[in-house]
Amino acid sequence: MSRAILVQADLLASRLSRAFAEAGASAPAGAAATRALMHASRLGVDSHGARLVMVYDQKLRNGRANRNPVVTVRRTAAAAAIVDGDNGLGALAAYRAMELAIEIARESGIGAVGVVRSHHYGAAGAYATVAAEAGLIGFATTNADSIVAPFEGAQAFHGTNPLAFAAPVAGQKPWLLDMATSSIPFNRVLLYRSLATILPEGVAADRQGQMTRDAEVAEMLMPLGGAGYGFKGAALAGVATLLSAILMGTTLDHAMIPMVGTPDLQTPRNMGHFVIAIDPAFFAGKAMFDKGMRSYLDALRAVRHTDSGHPVMAPGDREWAVEAERLRNGIPIDPDTAAFLKIGADGTPTD
């Protein structure tokens, strides 16, 4: 297994920002992409963190992603709007969509915003968290190119299609759920390849649909739920497709150009995203919401745990603990990403 390299967060962010600028991304596009990748790297979602800079660099340099997109907004109803990403990096359009959803929710109680003509946007939780940090409940999802077999299927059909929810907690970090509807994200397979590590049991299959732990030959993922229960993950993947693609009129999973492993690096993929923001003030009220969240989480974390020795945690507890540790000790990145960003094995710049 290749050894990860620890890098201080400020250095990693500055190197990502520089890489996007060198690839020709506009300042707003580069800043949004850096923000999204750093969210994932800080919270331990390494499959969607700094390592994606190399994938995004390739798309920018070859024309698939618009380097200088003009993101536009069309308000379609009191609580609804559409953001056109102009084929730019997905983070730029997705952050704009959630910012708009928050604005609308503060007016109408709820804001639902769809995104068209976009690209891969990293970890969905990055956008749901924006709402929670503003005091609202957030939801974010996207569809993606086919990489996950449906239940009982032997070929890829859905994307990894994440679902992310976040909610504010007074005096604490947000409650945060960010999950792929596949067994693992395919970016984790790529991460395992770069680290020369075998995959967990039962998460991936080869070209013939046979289960494998070899990251080098894995070509599709299994749906969330495991043997006998994968219909649950497969159905949830359909929810992401319903909201991000069907509702928005964007490309369906099975018709989308693959993110990696294709000679076509010029044609935009027309990905769709979908976000929702809900303002608690329009329902039971913010004070009641805050009280309920604290009561709920206090009771949840106090549940007697098994003899594993691990306490009961709420969604997000592990991620925020990882973030705190990484901000103290450094963020691990793989050697290939480090070399691309010109960071040495000791975590310092090489130029």
Side-chain angles (χ1 to χ4, degrees), residues 49-80:
R51 61 167 301 280
L52 285 178
V53 67
M54 294 182 287
V55 177
Y56 292 175
D57 176 87
Q58 184 185 52
K59 310 315 175 194
L60 287 164
R61 292 183 186 275
N62 287 277
R64 173 179 287 177
N66 186 349
R67 298 179 184 182
N68 189 28
V70 178
V71 175
T72 55
V73 171
R74 180 163 59 93
R75 188 78 173 259
T76 56

PDB file of all heavy atoms in Angstrom, residues 49-80:
ATOM      1  N   GLY A  49     -12.292  14.136  -2.499  1.00  0.00           N
ATOM      2  CA  GLY A  49     -11.498  15.265  -2.066  1.00  0.00           C
ATOM      3  C   GLY A  49     -10.454  15.695  -3.071  1.00  0.00           C
ATOM      4  O   GLY A  49     -10.677  15.690  -4.289  1.00  0.00           O
ATOM      5  N   ALA A  50      -9.271  16.028  -2.570  1.00  0.00           N
ATOM      6  CA  ALA A  50      -8.224  16.648  -3.385  1.00  0.00           C
ATOM      7  C   ALA A  50      -7.842  15.827  -4.606  1.00  0.00           C
ATOM      8  O   ALA A  50      -7.466  16.396  -5.639  1.00  0.00           O
ATOM      9  CB  ALA A  50      -6.994  16.893  -2.516  1.00  0.00           C
ATOM     10  N   ARG A  51      -7.944  14.509  -4.529  1.00  0.00           N
ATOM     11  CA  ARG A  51      -7.535  13.676  -5.648  1.00  0.00           C
ATOM     12  C   ARG A  51      -8.315  13.969  -6.926  1.00  0.00           C
ATOM     13  O   ARG A  51      -7.843  13.696  -8.024  1.00  0.00           O
ATOM     14  CB  ARG A  51      -7.676  12.193  -5.296  1.00  0.00           C
ATOM     15  CG  ARG A  51      -9.098  11.739  -4.966  1.00  0.00           C
ATOM     16  CD  ARG A  51      -9.189  10.222  -4.946  1.00  0.00           C
ATOM     17  NE  ARG A  51      -8.806   9.674  -6.230  1.00  0.00           N
ATOM     18  CZ  ARG A  51      -9.615   9.630  -7.292  1.00  0.00           C
ATOM     19  NH1 ARG A  51     -10.850  10.118  -7.213  1.00  0.00           N
ATOM     20  NH2 ARG A  51      -9.201   9.124  -8.423  1.00  0.00           N
ATOM     21  N   LEU A  52      -9.517  14.546  -6.818  1.00  0.00           N
ATOM     22  CA  LEU A  52     -10.308  14.839  -8.012  1.00  0.00           C
ATOM     23  C   LEU A  52      -9.742  15.989  -8.827  1.00  0.00           C
ATOM     24  O   LEU A  52     -10.181  16.225  -9.953  1.00  0.00           O
ATOM     25  CB  LEU A  52     -11.755  15.156  -7.611  1.00  0.00           C
ATOM     26  CG  LEU A  52     -12.620  13.968  -7.194  1.00  0.00           C
ATOM     27  CD1 LEU A  52     -14.012  14.441  -6.791  1.00  0.00           C
ATOM     28  CD2 LEU A  52     -12.706  12.937  -8.301  1.00  0.00           C
ATOM     29  N   VAL A  53      -8.765  16.720  -8.284  1.00  0.00           N
ATOM     30  CA  VAL A  53      -8.208  17.840  -9.040  1.00  0.00           C
ATOM     31  C   VAL A  53      -7.630  17.377 -10.367  1.00  0.00           C
ATOM     32  O   VAL A  53      -7.710  18.092 -11.374  1.00  0.00           O
ATOM     33  CB  VAL A  53      -7.136  18.592  -8.206  1.00  0.00           C
ATOM     34  CG1 VAL A  53      -5.902  17.734  -7.964  1.00  0.00           C
ATOM     35  CG2 VAL A  53      -6.753  19.899  -8.886  1.00  0.00           C
ATOM     36  N   MET A  54      -7.076  16.182 -10.416  1.00  0.00           N
ATOM     37  CA  MET A  54      -6.492  15.691 -11.664  1.00  0.00           C
ATOM     38  C   MET A  54      -7.562  15.388 -12.707  1.00  0.00           C
ATOM     39  O   MET A  54      -7.366  15.629 -13.900  1.00  0.00           O
ATOM     40  CB  MET A  54      -5.641  14.455 -11.394  1.00  0.00           C
ATOM     41  CG  MET A  54      -4.414  14.750 -10.541  1.00  0.00           C
ATOM     42  SD  MET A  54      -3.366  13.307 -10.251  1.00  0.00           S
ATOM     43  CE  MET A  54      -4.364  12.394  -9.073  1.00  0.00           C
ATOM     44  N   VAL A  55      -8.696  14.863 -12.246  1.00  0.00           N
ATOM     45  CA  VAL A  55      -9.814  14.598 -13.162  1.00  0.00           C
ATOM     46  C   VAL A  55     -10.371  15.914 -13.693  1.00  0.00           C
ATOM     47  O   VAL A  55     -10.594  16.073 -14.903  1.00  0.00           O
ATOM     48  CB  VAL A  55     -10.919  13.797 -12.440  1.00  0.00           C
ATOM     49  CG1 VAL A  55     -12.107  13.577 -13.365  1.00  0.00           C
ATOM     50  CG2 VAL A  55     -10.372  12.474 -11.933  1.00  0.00           C
ATOM     51  N   TYR A  56     -10.582  16.887 -12.809  1.00  0.00           N
ATOM     52  CA  TYR A  56     -11.124  18.169 -13.228  1.00  0.00           C
ATOM     53  C   TYR A  56     -10.151  18.914 -14.145  1.00  0.00           C
ATOM     54  O   TYR A  56     -10.560  19.571 -15.113  1.00  0.00           O
ATOM     55  CB  TYR A  56     -11.433  19.037 -12.004  1.00  0.00           C
ATOM     56  CG  TYR A  56     -12.579  18.546 -11.137  1.00  0.00           C
ATOM     57  CD1 TYR A  56     -12.889  19.194  -9.952  1.00  0.00           C
ATOM     58  CD2 TYR A  56     -13.341  17.434 -11.484  1.00  0.00           C
ATOM     59  CE1 TYR A  56     -13.932  18.764  -9.139  1.00  0.00           C
ATOM     60  CE2 TYR A  56     -14.379  16.993 -10.685  1.00  0.00           C
ATOM     61  CZ  TYR A  56     -14.670  17.662  -9.513  1.00  0.00           C
ATOM     62  OH  TYR A  56     -15.707  17.227  -8.717  1.00  0.00           O
ATOM     63  N   ASP A  57      -8.866  18.809 -13.862  1.00  0.00           N
ATOM     64  CA  ASP A  57      -7.850  19.441 -14.699  1.00  0.00           C
ATOM     65  C   ASP A  57      -7.937  18.932 -16.139  1.00  0.00           C
ATOM     66  O   ASP A  57      -7.891  19.715 -17.097  1.00  0.00           O
ATOM     67  CB  ASP A  57      -6.463  19.141 -14.119  1.00  0.00           C
ATOM     68  CG  ASP A  57      -5.331  19.676 -14.975  1.00  0.00           C
ATOM     69  OD1 ASP A  57      -4.951  20.848 -14.790  1.00  0.00           O
ATOM     70  OD2 ASP A  57      -4.824  18.921 -15.830  1.00  0.00           O
ATOM     71  N   GLN A  58      -8.096  17.639 -16.279  1.00  0.00           N
ATOM     72  CA  GLN A  58      -8.201  17.038 -17.607  1.00  0.00           C
ATOM     73  C   GLN A  58      -9.416  17.552 -18.360  1.00  0.00           C
ATOM     74  O   GLN A  58      -9.345  17.863 -19.561  1.00  0.00           O
ATOM     75  CB  GLN A  58      -8.263  15.514 -17.476  1.00  0.00           C
ATOM     76  CG  GLN A  58      -8.284  14.767 -18.797  1.00  0.00           C
ATOM     77  CD  GLN A  58      -8.465  13.286 -18.603  1.00  0.00           C
ATOM     78  OE1 GLN A  58      -9.398  12.848 -17.917  1.00  0.00           O
ATOM     79  NE2 GLN A  58      -7.580  12.493 -19.184  1.00  0.00           N
ATOM     80  N   LYS A  59     -10.547  17.662 -17.669  1.00  0.00           N
ATOM     81  CA  LYS A  59     -11.774  18.127 -18.322  1.00  0.00           C
ATOM     82  C   LYS A  59     -11.670  19.599 -18.716  1.00  0.00           C
ATOM     83  O   LYS A  59     -12.155  20.012 -19.778  1.00  0.00           O
ATOM     84  CB  LYS A  59     -12.985  17.924 -17.413  1.00  0.00           C
ATOM     85  CG  LYS A  59     -13.127  16.538 -16.816  1.00  0.00           C
ATOM     86  CD  LYS A  59     -12.908  15.411 -17.804  1.00  0.00           C
ATOM     87  CE  LYS A  59     -12.948  14.062 -17.105  1.00  0.00           C
ATOM     88  NZ  LYS A  59     -12.422  12.958 -17.938  1.00  0.00           N
ATOM     89  N   LEU A  60     -11.043  20.393 -17.874  1.00  0.00           N
ATOM     90  CA  LEU A  60     -10.873  21.812 -18.187  1.00  0.00           C
ATOM     91  C   LEU A  60      -9.945  21.999 -19.386  1.00  0.00           C
ATOM     92  O   LEU A  60     -10.226  22.773 -20.306  1.00  0.00           O
ATOM     93  CB  LEU A  60     -10.306  22.555 -16.977  1.00  0.00           C
ATOM     94  CG  LEU A  60     -11.259  22.784 -15.808  1.00  0.00           C
ATOM     95  CD1 LEU A  60     -10.482  23.156 -14.548  1.00  0.00           C
ATOM     96  CD2 LEU A  60     -12.281  23.882 -16.154  1.00  0.00           C
ATOM     97  N   ARG A  61      -8.834  21.292 -19.401  1.00  0.00           N
ATOM     98  CA  ARG A  61      -7.839  21.470 -20.457  1.00  0.00           C
ATOM     99  C   ARG A  61      -8.306  20.937 -21.802  1.00  0.00           C
ATOM    100  O   ARG A  61      -7.865  21.425 -22.853  1.00  0.00           O
ATOM    101  CB  ARG A  61      -6.524  20.808 -20.053  1.00  0.00           C
ATOM    102  CG  ARG A  61      -5.830  21.512 -18.889  1.00  0.00           C
ATOM    103  CD  ARG A  61      -4.487  20.859 -18.573  1.00  0.00           C
ATOM    104  NE  ARG A  61      -3.868  21.426 -17.390  1.00  0.00           N
ATOM    105  CZ  ARG A  61      -3.108  22.518 -17.389  1.00  0.00           C
ATOM    106  NH1 ARG A  61      -2.888  23.165 -18.533  1.00  0.00           N
ATOM    107  NH2 ARG A  61      -2.562  22.964 -16.269  1.00  0.00           N
ATOM    108  N   ASN A  62      -9.194  19.933 -21.779  1.00  0.00           N
ATOM    109  CA  ASN A  62      -9.644  19.331 -23.026  1.00  0.00           C
ATOM    110  C   ASN A  62     -10.986  19.861 -23.521  1.00  0.00           C
ATOM    111  O   ASN A  62     -11.470  19.439 -24.566  1.00  0.00           O
ATOM    112  CB  ASN A  62      -9.716  17.814 -22.882  1.00  0.00           C
ATOM    113  CG  ASN A  62      -8.340  17.184 -22.859  1.00  0.00           C
ATOM    114  OD1 ASN A  62      -7.741  16.944 -23.902  1.00  0.00           O
ATOM    115  ND2 ASN A  62      -7.819  16.921 -21.663  1.00  0.00           N
ATOM    116  N   GLY A  63     -11.613  20.753 -22.757  1.00  0.00           N
ATOM    117  CA  GLY A  63     -12.812  21.413 -23.249  1.00  0.00           C
ATOM    118  C   GLY A  63     -14.135  20.857 -22.789  1.00  0.00           C
ATOM    119  O   GLY A  63     -15.176  21.439 -23.093  1.00  0.00           O
ATOM    120  N   ARG A  64     -14.138  19.739 -22.078  1.00  0.00           N
ATOM    121  CA  ARG A  64     -15.426  19.219 -21.615  1.00  0.00           C
ATOM    122  C   ARG A  64     -16.073  20.179 -20.626  1.00  0.00           C
ATOM    123  O   ARG A  64     -17.273  20.419 -20.680  1.00  0.00           O
ATOM    124  CB  ARG A  64     -15.261  17.843 -20.968  1.00  0.00           C
ATOM    125  CG  ARG A  64     -16.562  17.354 -20.333  1.00  0.00           C
ATOM    126  CD  ARG A  64     -16.439  15.989 -19.720  1.00  0.00           C
ATOM    127  NE  ARG A  64     -16.372  14.973 -20.758  1.00  0.00           N
ATOM    128  CZ  ARG A  64     -16.202  13.679 -20.520  1.00  0.00           C
ATOM    129  NH1 ARG A  64     -16.031  13.267 -19.271  1.00  0.00           N
ATOM    130  NH2 ARG A  64     -16.173  12.803 -21.502  1.00  0.00           N
ATOM    131  N   ALA A  65     -15.278  20.733 -19.732  1.00  0.00           N
ATOM    132  CA  ALA A  65     -15.784  21.697 -18.750  1.00  0.00           C
ATOM    133  C   ALA A  65     -15.430  23.106 -19.206  1.00  0.00           C
ATOM    134  O   ALA A  65     -14.274  23.391 -19.532  1.00  0.00           O
ATOM    135  CB  ALA A  65     -15.201  21.426 -17.376  1.00  0.00           C
ATOM    136  N   ASN A  66     -16.426  23.975 -19.245  1.00  0.00           N
ATOM    137  CA  ASN A  66     -16.242  25.374 -19.624  1.00  0.00           C
ATOM    138  C   ASN A  66     -15.361  26.060 -18.580  1.00  0.00           C
ATOM    139  O   ASN A  66     -15.680  26.060 -17.398  1.00  0.00           O
ATOM    140  CB  ASN A  66     -17.610  26.049 -19.706  1.00  0.00           C
ATOM    141  CG  ASN A  66     -17.546  27.465 -20.236  1.00  0.00           C
ATOM    142  OD1 ASN A  66     -16.480  28.042 -20.370  1.00  0.00           O
ATOM    143  ND2 ASN A  66     -18.694  28.024 -20.547  1.00  0.00           N
ATOM    144  N   ARG A  67     -14.257  26.641 -19.014  1.00  0.00           N
ATOM    145  CA  ARG A  67     -13.325  27.261 -18.079  1.00  0.00           C
ATOM    146  C   ARG A  67     -13.882  28.545 -17.471  1.00  0.00           C
ATOM    147  O   ARG A  67     -13.527  28.911 -16.346  1.00  0.00           O
ATOM    148  CB  ARG A  67     -12.003  27.573 -18.783  1.00  0.00           C
ATOM    149  CG  ARG A  67     -11.281  26.347 -19.322  1.00  0.00           C
ATOM    150  CD  ARG A  67     -10.003  26.774 -20.008  1.00  0.00           C
ATOM    151  NE  ARG A  67      -9.325  25.636 -20.623  1.00  0.00           N
ATOM    152  CZ  ARG A  67      -8.163  25.712 -21.260  1.00  0.00           C
ATOM    153  NH1 ARG A  67      -7.549  26.885 -21.351  1.00  0.00           N
ATOM    154  NH2 ARG A  67      -7.620  24.650 -21.792  1.00  0.00           N
ATOM    155  N   ASN A  68     -14.705  29.242 -18.205  1.00  0.00           N
ATOM    156  CA  ASN A  68     -15.218  30.537 -17.745  1.00  0.00           C
ATOM    157  C   ASN A  68     -16.732  30.587 -17.911  1.00  0.00           C
ATOM    158  O   ASN A  68     -17.262  31.358 -18.707  1.00  0.00           O
ATOM    159  CB  ASN A  68     -14.553  31.669 -18.523  1.00  0.00           C
ATOM    160  CG  ASN A  68     -14.872  33.035 -17.940  1.00  0.00           C
ATOM    161  OD1 ASN A  68     -15.131  33.171 -16.750  1.00  0.00           O
ATOM    162  ND2 ASN A  68     -14.885  34.048 -18.798  1.00  0.00           N
ATOM    163  N   PRO A  69     -17.456  29.756 -17.173  1.00  0.00           N
ATOM    164  CA  PRO A  69     -18.904  29.681 -17.348  1.00  0.00           C
ATOM    165  C   PRO A  69     -19.618  30.922 -16.821  1.00  0.00           C
ATOM    166  O   PRO A  69     -19.178  31.550 -15.863  1.00  0.00           O
ATOM    167  CB  PRO A  69     -19.289  28.454 -16.527  1.00  0.00           C
ATOM    168  CG  PRO A  69     -18.252  28.410 -15.452  1.00  0.00           C
ATOM    169  CD  PRO A  69     -16.978  28.868 -16.096  1.00  0.00           C
ATOM    170  N   VAL A  70     -20.716  31.242 -17.470  1.00  0.00           N
ATOM    171  CA  VAL A  70     -21.594  32.315 -17.003  1.00  0.00           C
ATOM    172  C   VAL A  70     -22.838  31.639 -16.434  1.00  0.00           C
ATOM    173  O   VAL A  70     -23.729  31.195 -17.175  1.00  0.00           O
ATOM    174  CB  VAL A  70     -21.966  33.282 -18.140  1.00  0.00           C
ATOM    175  CG1 VAL A  70     -22.928  34.350 -17.623  1.00  0.00           C
ATOM    176  CG2 VAL A  70     -20.719  33.913 -18.729  1.00  0.00           C
ATOM    177  N   VAL A  71     -22.878  31.500 -15.124  1.00  0.00           N
ATOM    178  CA  VAL A  71     -23.992  30.816 -14.455  1.00  0.00           C
ATOM    179  C   VAL A  71     -25.186  31.755 -14.398  1.00  0.00           C
ATOM    180  O   VAL A  71     -25.072  32.904 -13.965  1.00  0.00           O
ATOM    181  CB  VAL A  71     -23.581  30.367 -13.044  1.00  0.00           C
ATOM    182  CG1 VAL A  71     -24.766  29.758 -12.305  1.00  0.00           C
ATOM    183  CG2 VAL A  71     -22.426  29.379 -13.118  1.00  0.00           C
ATOM    184  N   THR A  72     -26.334  31.270 -14.864  1.00  0.00           N
ATOM    185  CA  THR A  72     -27.536  32.095 -14.874  1.00  0.00           C
ATOM    186  C   THR A  72     -28.645  31.439 -14.056  1.00  0.00           C
ATOM    187  O   THR A  72     -28.644  30.226 -13.830  1.00  0.00           O
ATOM    188  CB  THR A  72     -28.036  32.338 -16.309  1.00  0.00           C
ATOM    189  OG1 THR A  72     -28.239  31.071 -16.961  1.00  0.00           O
ATOM    190  CG2 THR A  72     -27.014  33.149 -17.104  1.00  0.00           C
ATOM    191  N   VAL A  73     -29.591  32.265 -13.635  1.00  0.00           N
ATOM    192  CA  VAL A  73     -30.678  31.826 -12.753  1.00  0.00           C
ATOM    193  C   VAL A  73     -32.014  32.198 -13.370  1.00  0.00           C
ATOM    194  O   VAL A  73     -32.174  33.305 -13.893  1.00  0.00           O
ATOM    195  CB  VAL A  73     -30.552  32.477 -11.366  1.00  0.00           C
ATOM    196  CG1 VAL A  73     -31.782  32.221 -10.517  1.00  0.00           C
ATOM    197  CG2 VAL A  73     -29.299  31.979 -10.662  1.00  0.00           C
ATOM    198  N   ARG A  74     -32.976  31.271 -13.293  1.00  0.00           N
ATOM    199  CA  ARG A  74     -34.342  31.560 -13.746  1.00  0.00           C
ATOM    200  C   ARG A  74     -35.304  31.174 -12.629  1.00  0.00           C
ATOM    201  O   ARG A  74     -35.427  30.001 -12.283  1.00  0.00           O
ATOM    202  CB  ARG A  74     -34.656  30.799 -15.032  1.00  0.00           C
ATOM    203  CG  ARG A  74     -36.058  31.049 -15.566  1.00  0.00           C
ATOM    204  CD  ARG A  74     -36.167  30.628 -17.029  1.00  0.00           C
ATOM    205  NE  ARG A  74     -35.853  29.235 -17.235  1.00  0.00           N
ATOM    206  CZ  ARG A  74     -36.753  28.243 -17.237  1.00  0.00           C
ATOM    207  NH1 ARG A  74     -38.040  28.513 -17.022  1.00  0.00           N
ATOM    208  NH2 ARG A  74     -36.378  27.000 -17.441  1.00  0.00           N
ATOM    209  N   ARG A  75     -35.958  32.155 -12.044  1.00  0.00           N
ATOM    210  CA  ARG A  75     -36.944  31.905 -10.991  1.00  0.00           C
ATOM    211  C   ARG A  75     -38.236  31.464 -11.669  1.00  0.00           C
ATOM    212  O   ARG A  75     -38.795  32.161 -12.522  1.00  0.00           O
ATOM    213  CB  ARG A  75     -37.163  33.191 -10.190  1.00  0.00           C
ATOM    214  CG  ARG A  75     -38.011  33.053  -8.951  1.00  0.00           C
ATOM    215  CD  ARG A  75     -37.248  32.453  -7.782  1.00  0.00           C
ATOM    216  NE  ARG A  75     -38.066  32.504  -6.558  1.00  0.00           N
ATOM    217  CZ  ARG A  75     -37.922  33.400  -5.611  1.00  0.00           C
ATOM    218  NH1 ARG A  75     -36.984  34.341  -5.711  1.00  0.00           N
ATOM    219  NH2 ARG A  75     -38.696  33.374  -4.536  1.00  0.00           N
ATOM    220  N   THR A  76     -38.744  30.309 -11.319  1.00  0.00           N
ATOM    221  CA  THR A  76     -39.908  29.749 -12.003  1.00  0.00           C
ATOM    222  C   THR A  76     -41.187  29.783 -11.176  1.00  0.00           C
ATOM    223  O   THR A  76     -42.274  29.598 -11.716  1.00  0.00           O
ATOM    224  CB  THR A  76     -39.622  28.287 -12.406  1.00  0.00           C
ATOM    225  OG1 THR A  76     -39.255  27.542 -11.252  1.00  0.00           O
ATOM    226  CG2 THR A  76     -38.503  28.223 -13.434  1.00  0.00           C
ATOM    227  N   ALA A  77     -41.065  29.994  -9.874  1.00  0.00           N
ATOM    228  CA  ALA A  77     -42.237  30.064  -8.993  1.00  0.00           C
ATOM    229  C   ALA A  77     -41.781  30.652  -7.666  1.00  0.00           C
ATOM    230  O   ALA A  77     -40.606  30.936  -7.460  1.00  0.00           O
ATOM    231  CB  ALA A  77     -42.853  28.679  -8.787  1.00  0.00           C
ATOM    232  N   ALA A  78     -42.735  30.809  -6.742  1.00  0.00           N
ATOM    233  CA  ALA A  78     -42.398  31.404  -5.443  1.00  0.00           C
ATOM    234  C   ALA A  78     -41.325  30.612  -4.715  1.00  0.00           C
ATOM    235  O   ALA A  78     -40.499  31.184  -4.002  1.00  0.00           O
ATOM    236  CB  ALA A  78     -43.653  31.501  -4.586  1.00  0.00           C
ATOM    237  N   ALA A  79     -41.331  29.299  -4.881  1.00  0.00           N
ATOM    238  CA  ALA A  79     -40.391  28.461  -4.137  1.00  0.00           C
ATOM    239  C   ALA A  79     -39.490  27.635  -5.042  1.00  0.00           C
ATOM    240  O   ALA A  79     -38.860  26.684  -4.583  1.00  0.00           O
ATOM    241  CB  ALA A  79     -41.150  27.546  -3.182  1.00  0.00           C
ATOM    242  N   ALA A  80     -39.410  27.977  -6.324  1.00  0.00           N
ATOM    243  CA  ALA A  80     -38.659  27.149  -7.260  1.00  0.00           C
ATOM    244  C   ALA A  80     -37.829  27.991  -8.216  1.00  0.00           C
ATOM    245  O   ALA A  80     -38.196  29.114  -8.564  1.00  0.00           O
ATOM    246  CB  ALA A  80     -39.619  26.258  -8.057  1.00  0.00           C
TER     247      ALA A  80
END
